[in-house]
Amino acid sequence: MTEKSKPELLAPAGDRERLEMAVHYGADAVYLAGTRYGMRAAAGNFNDAQLADAIAFCHAHGVRVHVTCNTLPREYELPDLPAYLAKLDALGADALIIADLGVMELARRYAPHVDIHVSTQFGVTSSAAATALYRLGARRAVLAREVSLEEIRRIRRNMPEDMELEAFVHGAMCVSFSGRCVLSNYLTGRDANRGQCAQPCRWKYHLVEETRPGQYFEITEDGGTYILNSRDLCMIDHLQELSQAGIDSFKIEGRMKSAYYAAAVTNAYRHAVDFAERGKPLPEIWRREVEMVSHRPYSTGFYYGGQPGQHYSESSYTADADVCAVVVSCDPDGHAVLTQRNKFSVGDALNLLTRDHDPCPVSVREMTDAEGNSIDSAPRAMMEVHLQLPFACEPLSILRKLRQRN
């Protein structure tokens, strides 16, 4: 990578806490949603006042804001859409992520100062589609998850040079074609294409024969019955190849995931992008960071052809660390004030995650509460804890407990 071609690192921001973590840990841009028209209805999201604050906060830190407008609106939703788009234009949003041609045309009219990015929901899999969208005003296409690395190279060669390409590099994958699934709607009445997916692809399925109700017969595939459950995507070791293929923005999935996920994964990919820019291999300590967050078994998706692979034995997530506390303040000598997230005690061997240092061990020898009283443990959620850290670190640094692998 050169500085000119260095891809943007785009991180998820489901609410204000996750937004601040993504910004602090190195995102070049974040994507988030208002309370309507976004594909993650269950995320915290942002009301109008919160959107204004979020955009101002990000711009003050040199971070761009992409607002998702990627549902497929019904007729009754259209009357409110022009005013919403105009508001985003006035607030200074940098881009709108759009999946619908009608919304795209309205955005050109009512948000003329905001870039249009075509959502992965649109299913861009060819240079013809990208070029057509470019002529309609799109500045960027978020490629369908199903395209391979070789296809990306060909798309890049045959599309307008000044149109950008964005691709997912990490996070959950949908068993359907870029989210165009009706299974959730059919089984639960919750429409995946309107941001309400119940994720029935992660359920355990059995057969029931009609004359024997209540008798369940397993459907097995490679030793399990979770026959629709996808693996998660992880391309942290392949960013140089993606950049060389023509990707302008590396997108991390996860607006509904935790603030810790936003911090740790953004941090890991920030280091990965920077090492790739210098032409250096990623140190293993940063590759290990993506194992620390909650995830299903990883794969490289469709990038290298073939199938990304399913995980049939279970749909549960694993993680190698649990958050204990988040730093609120820290003096130059490393005396820190933290807020508790999970119980930890004197004698625990913990691990400190910061944006400027390698993750490092922390031995808890003593700690005090908000009144200065010595305490043996921190059992209460969000309680204030005072603790000596190995070095001075910034607010939003994270203290965690590593899990022992079996």
Side-chain angles (χ1 to χ4, degrees):
M1 300 180 195
T2 64
E3 186 61 37
K4 181 178 179 181
S5 65
K6 186 176 180 180
E8 167 189 85
L9 180 59
L10 178 58
D15 60 17
R16 180 60 184 236
E17 182 183 18
R18 285 172 273 190
L19 170 74
E20 292 183 5
M21 286 292 189
V23 170
H24 178 75
Y25 281 95
D28 297 309
V30 297
Y31 63 104
L32 49 80
T35 55
R36 299 178 65 185
Y37 308 112
M39 278 294 295
R40 290 292 181 267
N45 297 324
F46 297 78
N47 62 31
D48 288 353
Q50 291 167 337
L51 273 174
D53 289 343
I55 293 171
F57 171 81
C58 288
H59 287 175
H61 288 82
V63 173
R64 297 179 288 277
V65 180
H66 306 175
V67 181
T68 63
C69 235
N70 56 349
T71 58
L72 308 178
R74 303 295 175 85
E75 191 67 23
Y76 69 88
E77 295 177 290
L78 292 181
D80 295 335
L81 188 53
Y84 179 66
L85 295 170
K87 182 181 291 290
L88 293 174
D89 187 276
L91 292 176
D94 296 284
L96 293 168
I97 304 173
I98 295 172
D100 180 269
L101 286 176
V103 177
M104 188 171 170
E105 194 279 331
L106 289 171
R108 290 182 65 188
R109 188 188 312 172
Y110 294 101
H113 305 101
V114 185
D115 287 342
I116 293 174
H117 294 178
V118 179
S119 172
T120 190
Q121 297 298 118
F122 197 94
V124 176
T125 58
S126 73
S127 61
T131 301
L133 291 164
Y134 174 80
R135 290 170 180 163
L136 292 172
R139 176 171 174 76
R140 177 184 296 184
V142 187
L143 291 170
R145 288 178 172 89
E146 296 75 31
V147 294
S148 69
L149 200 60
E150 180 54 36
E151 288 176 309
I152 293 171
R153 294 188 185 100
R154 293 176 182 176
I155 291 169
R156 178 72 274 174
R157 286 197 297 267
N158 295 311
M159 60 179 281
E161 290 185 7
D162 58 339
M163 187 181 191
E164 298 176 349
L165 291 178
E166 178 178 307
F168 282 92
V169 295
H170 195 91
M173 291 190 289
C174 181
V175 72
S176 184
F177 190 93
S178 290
R180 300 276 180 155
C181 182
V182 296
L183 190 59
S184 175
N185 204 345
Y186 179 76
L187 294 176
T188 71
R190 290 168 53 180
D191 193 340
N193 296 307
R194 296 175 64 75
Q196 300 170 346
C197 187
Q199 298 178 330
C201 56
R202 305 184 189 189
W203 298 353
K204 186 176 184 179
Y205 288 91
H206 290 75
L207 284 173
V208 177
E209 201 276 325
E210 64 178 346
T211 65
R212 289 182 275 184
Q215 295 187 35
Y216 299 99
F217 301 91
E218 286 197 354
I219 309 168
T220 59
E221 180 77 24
D222 291 350
T225 65
Y226 293 86
I227 57 175
L228 300 177
N229 185 49
S230 300
R231 292 176 180 266
D232 281 355
L233 176 67
C234 180
M235 288 291 288
I236 197 167
D237 296 315
H238 307 282
L239 300 186
Q240 184 82 297
E241 294 168 86
L242 285 169
S243 177
Q244 291 170 350
I247 298 301
D248 300 286
S249 178
F250 296 149
K251 188 169 193 172
I252 299 168
E253 183 276 337
R255 277 190 289 137
M256 291 175 59
K257 295 180 179 176
S258 69
Y260 171 58
Y261 172 96
V265 176
T266 301
N267 198 30
Y269 275 85
R270 175 75 276 153
H271 284 83
V273 171
D274 293 344
F275 274 99
E277 180 199 7
R278 299 195 295 270
K280 295 183 177 181
L282 181 67
E284 179 61 22
I285 195 168
W286 295 111
R287 176 59 181 79
R288 281 276 298 127
E289 280 299 304
V290 296
E291 302 292 341
M292 299 292 182
V293 300
S294 180
H295 66 283
R296 294 176 291 181
Y298 287 127
S299 82
T300 54
F302 292 92
Y303 283 115
Y304 294 97
Q307 301 299 317
Q310 307 300 104
H311 187 55
Y312 304 114
S313 60
E314 60 180 354
S315 63
S316 60
Y317 282 65
T318 61
D320 285 355
D322 297 299
V323 178
C324 293
V326 176
V327 174
V328 176
S329 64
C330 186
D331 70 18
D333 296 320
H335 301 296
V337 179
L338 308 97
T339 54
Q340 187 260 31
R341 295 297 191 272
N342 285 290
K343 181 181 178 180
F344 63 101
S345 305
V346 170
D348 282 347
L350 303 181
N351 184 271
L352 180 63
L353 178 68
T354 70
R355 67 176 181 177
D356 297 323
H357 299 81
D358 287 356
C360 71
V362 175
S363 297
V364 183
R365 295 187 174 88
E366 59 181 359
M367 54 185 177
T368 60
D369 61 18
E371 287 73 40
N373 301 311
S374 180
I375 54 176
D376 293 326
S377 67
R380 299 192 309 279
M382 300 302 291
M383 69 178 290
E384 182 178 305
V385 180
H386 295 241
L387 186 67
Q388 177 66 52
L389 297 177
F391 50 81
C393 60
E394 295 180 304
L396 300 183
S397 298
I398 295 170
L399 200 63
R400 59 195 179 178
K401 183 180 294 185
L402 304 188
R403 295 180 183 179
Q404 297 297 319
R405 289 192 173 191
N406 294 329

